[in-house]
Amino acid sequence: MAVSAGEVYYNPPCRQKIVVRTAAADTGGARSVLDLYVAPGGFAADYHLHPASEERFTLVRGRLRVSMADRDVILDKTGQTVAVPPGTSHRFYSASDDEETLAIVEFTNRAERFEVLLLRELFGLAEGGRSDDQGKPNLMQTSLTLREFSDVLRFTGRPWPLQRAMYGAVAPLARLRGYHACSPVTGWKPAQRAEPEELPPEVERQVTARLRAGLRPRG
């Protein structure tokens, strides 16, 4: 079942909450727009890249540090934005000691698969207590899930060929032990829903303009 607008997902180890503002299913799979809430001390699970997709962060309130391969960007003004190009290793962190941060995340290209991986799988496993204190599943689960979704996300702590070989070696044992690339325990439709917050005008204009541009037919 596809992700839909208004669904709410939690990642307790990473101190994150996501509310789906615009689902990929509503854009023909072209783009996903997510409201990302990060509590003080919150972070992305690890450095990672998206092989063929752009991820953009636009600050609503608070402070967010986006760390990329060649630079760190601190978003601390409403409407400030940074785009992470395809293939760029990156990670984000809360940069506020006492305030929840809200940023709009726009994911372009293969957005539907990204939603399934991030929200239904990685967040679902974390909320169910099936990830470590950094928000990462165990090696058995990872060997199947990250191979299946390697077109949308790869962790970058080790070279991808090495990861792929390691996952390939572990995957048969993982299957024997009952693991699946899309874990049955995360394939639920979230019971909790929320209306996305009203955005400040300077943020609303940016997000709406990019959404319309991304959906405009190309001649």
Side-chain angles (χ1 to χ4, degrees):
M1 184 177 294
V3 169
S4 63
E7 292 182 356
V8 182
Y9 296 86
Y10 295 92
N11 187 324
C14 295
R15 304 181 190 179
Q16 295 179 41
K17 178 180 81 172
I18 283 180
V19 179
V20 180
R21 179 171 291 270
T22 303
D26 299 324
T27 67
R31 181 180 295 259
S32 181
V33 184
L34 311 173
D35 291 13
L36 170 67
Y37 295 83
V38 188
F43 51 85
D46 203 348
Y47 278 95
H48 61 280
L49 60 80
H50 309 293
S53 307
E54 178 188 270
E55 187 172 25
R56 177 181 290 272
F57 300 86
T58 303
L59 190 73
V60 177
R61 62 173 177 268
R63 287 168 53 90
L64 189 73
R65 175 163 67 95
V66 181
S67 180
M68 290 183 274
D70 59 345
R71 61 189 173 121
D72 275 11
V73 177
I74 300 290
L75 303 180
D76 57 6
K77 297 179 178 62
T78 299
Q80 190 176 358
T81 187
V82 62
V84 181
T88 302
S89 180
H90 64 286
R91 189 180 189 184
F92 65 80
Y93 306 83
S94 167
S96 175
D97 294 330
D98 54 9
E99 179 184 10
E100 181 182 67
T101 293
L102 170 57
I104 302 300
V105 177
E106 299 163 75
F107 194 87
T108 306
N109 193 18
R110 307 190 185 186
E112 196 159 9
R113 283 179 58 73
F114 176 72
E115 287 178 347
V116 172
L117 172 64
L118 179 69
L119 303 177
R120 292 282 167 82
E121 295 302 316
L122 298 181
F123 269 53
L125 290 164
E127 189 172 2
R130 294 177 171 86
S131 64
D132 63 19
D133 59 4
Q134 295 298 302
K136 297 179 69 173
N138 65 34
L139 180 57
M140 294 283 185
Q141 185 67 60
T142 300
S143 70
L144 298 176
T145 300
L146 291 190
R147 279 214 312 170
E148 170 66 26
F149 291 95
S150 64
D151 61 317
V152 290
L153 185 146
R154 300 175 187 176
F155 289 119
T156 56
R158 297 185 178 92
W160 174 243
L162 178 59
Q163 291 185 64
R164 185 172 54 195
M166 180 174 62
Y167 296 157
V170 174
L173 179 58
R175 293 190 188 95
L176 284 174
R177 293 195 173 182
Y179 286 88
H180 302 266
C182 293
S183 175
V185 301
T186 65
W188 45 271
K189 183 175 176 59
Q192 186 171 351
R193 302 182 67 87
E195 189 70 23
E197 289 190 29
E198 183 175 348
L199 296 177
E202 58 267 47
V203 177
E204 181 70 42
R205 284 194 297 269
Q206 286 190 54
V207 173
T208 300
R210 286 192 292 266
L211 183 61
R212 289 176 177 170
L215 299 180
R216 187 178 301 135
R218 297 180 179 179

